[in-house]
């Protein structure tokens, strides 16, 4: 490969995958970085700078998607994806929401009964979850805490994605949980805590037969600054 071709190829890859500082940070520091960004948005000057940066990234993403949608893939080994009908309409509808908070769920009480039921199903009966007396005496949290996987299992309920009466994407033929890119548990969820989910749309990508959505979901604990869980969730919508 010639040097000129190599540099051209590198430029195309960087244009499709823009660098983000958070990708280089450890999970713990990444949480503080996101908190800093949220607080900075409230500052009249810093908030404007961050908004301009977000707008720039959004334009880059939309330009990359447009090239793919127009039958001009950025990379020779990636097939073009053309959107039609309901998929194209939803893609256009979701574009203004990229980077914005799209859902705040209702508060849900995490009771000892709920924790015990999850322990019975999964077999995870570790005392920090199921034995209040021992937890009060020996645990640094002085009470029982919810399983991390219980928090994940509650996400469909917390995000409202299982409400058949008011589905999030009523025109979709099928909505599939495609997986989780990142999962962290920054703070324990103690028994009898109220939690709720806050969802932010990070990316919308055309795929064959529909769209792929990347969402950031934070599980907020009432009265606690740090979230109980932060995930990046991948959902695929088919029409």
């Amino acid at each position: 490969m010639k040097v000129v071709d190599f540099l051209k190829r590198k430029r195309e890859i960087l244009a499709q995958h823009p660098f983000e500082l958070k990708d280089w940070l450890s999970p713990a520091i990444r949480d503080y970085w996101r908190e800093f960004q949220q607080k900075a948005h409230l500052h009249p000057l810093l908030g404007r700078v961050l908004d301009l940066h977000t707008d720039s990234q959004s334009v880059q993403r939309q330009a990359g998607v447009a090239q793919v949608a127009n039958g001009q893939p950025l990379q020779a080994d990636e097939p073009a994806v053309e959107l039609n009908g309901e998929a194209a309409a939803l893609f256009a509808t979701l574009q203004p929401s990229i980077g914005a908070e799209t859902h705040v769920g209702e508060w849900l009480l995490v009771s000892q009964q709920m924790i015990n039921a999850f322990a019975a199903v999964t077999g995870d009966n570790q005392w920090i979850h199921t034995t209040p007396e021992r937890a009060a005496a020996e645990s640094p949290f002085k009470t029982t805490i919810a399983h991390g996987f219980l928090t994940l299992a509650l996400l469909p309920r917390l995000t409202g994605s299982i409400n058949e009466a008011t589905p999030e994407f009523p025109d979709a033929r099928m909505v599939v949980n495609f997986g989780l890119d990142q999962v962290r548990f920054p703070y324990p969820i103690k028994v009898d805590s109220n939690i709720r989910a806050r969802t932010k749309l990070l990316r919308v990508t055309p795929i064959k037969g529909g769209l792929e959505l990347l969402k950031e979901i934070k599980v907020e604990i009432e009265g606690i600054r740090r979230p109980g869980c932060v995930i990046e969730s991948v959902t695929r919508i088919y029409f």
Side-chain angles (χ1 to χ4, degrees), residues 23-105:
D23 296 333
W24 292 73
L25 303 178
S26 67
I29 297 178
R30 195 178 300 141
D31 288 336
Y32 286 110
W33 171 250
R34 286 175 174 170
E35 289 181 14
F36 166 76
Q37 287 182 309
Q38 291 173 352
K39 292 179 180 179
H41 274 294
L42 301 177
H43 190 281
L45 179 57
L46 291 178
R48 180 55 181 163
V49 172
L50 290 175
D51 287 341
L52 289 173
H53 176 67
T54 301
D55 292 343
S56 174
Q57 288 186 323
S58 178
V59 169
Q60 290 178 352
R61 285 194 296 265
Q62 292 177 25
V65 169
Q67 285 184 293
V68 174
N70 291 333
Q72 300 176 3
L74 292 175
Q75 298 189 37
D77 56 350
E78 291 188 358
V81 177
E82 294 186 3
L83 295 178
N84 299 297
E86 295 168 337
L90 180 59
F91 179 81
T93 300
L94 292 176
Q95 289 304 300
S97 300
I98 294 178
E101 189 170 74
T102 57
H103 182 268
V104 179

Side-chain angles (χ1 to χ4, degrees), residues 10 30 32 39 44 47 97 101 121 127 139 147 152-153 231:
K10 182 178 179 182
R30 195 178 300 141
Y32 286 110
K39 292 179 180 179
S97 300
E101 189 170 74
V121 171
W127 62 268
S139 171
H147 307 71
L152 295 179
I231 73 166

Side-chain angles (χ1 to χ4, degrees), residues 4 60 80 85 93 116 151 167 183 192:
V4 174
Q60 290 178 352
T93 300
N116 290 346
T151 308
V183 180
D192 295 329

Side-chain angles (χ1 to χ4, degrees), residues 142-221:
K142 302 305 178 184
T143 187
T144 53
I145 60 174
H147 307 71
F149 286 140
L150 169 57
T151 308
L152 295 179
L154 288 171
L155 287 178
R157 181 174 177 180
L158 292 170
T159 59
S161 60
I162 56 173
N163 191 339
E164 295 184 1
T166 56
E168 186 177 5
F169 306 106
D171 297 327
R173 174 174 59 86
M174 181 171 59
V175 179
V176 178
N177 173 16
F178 196 65
L180 306 176
D181 277 1
Q182 295 186 32
V183 180
R184 301 183 300 284
F185 302 102
Y187 197 87
I189 298 176
K190 299 179 181 179
V191 67
D192 295 329
S193 295
N194 283 315
I195 62 173
R196 67 179 177 184
R198 309 185 75 100
T199 304
K200 179 188 294 185
L201 181 62
L202 300 181
R203 187 174 69 229
V204 182
T205 306
I207 60 173
K208 185 177 180 180
L211 300 173
E212 180 179 279
L213 275 56
L214 179 65
K215 299 179 179 179
E216 179 192 75
I217 304 174
K218 287 187 177 183
V219 177
E220 180 183 7
I221 309 171

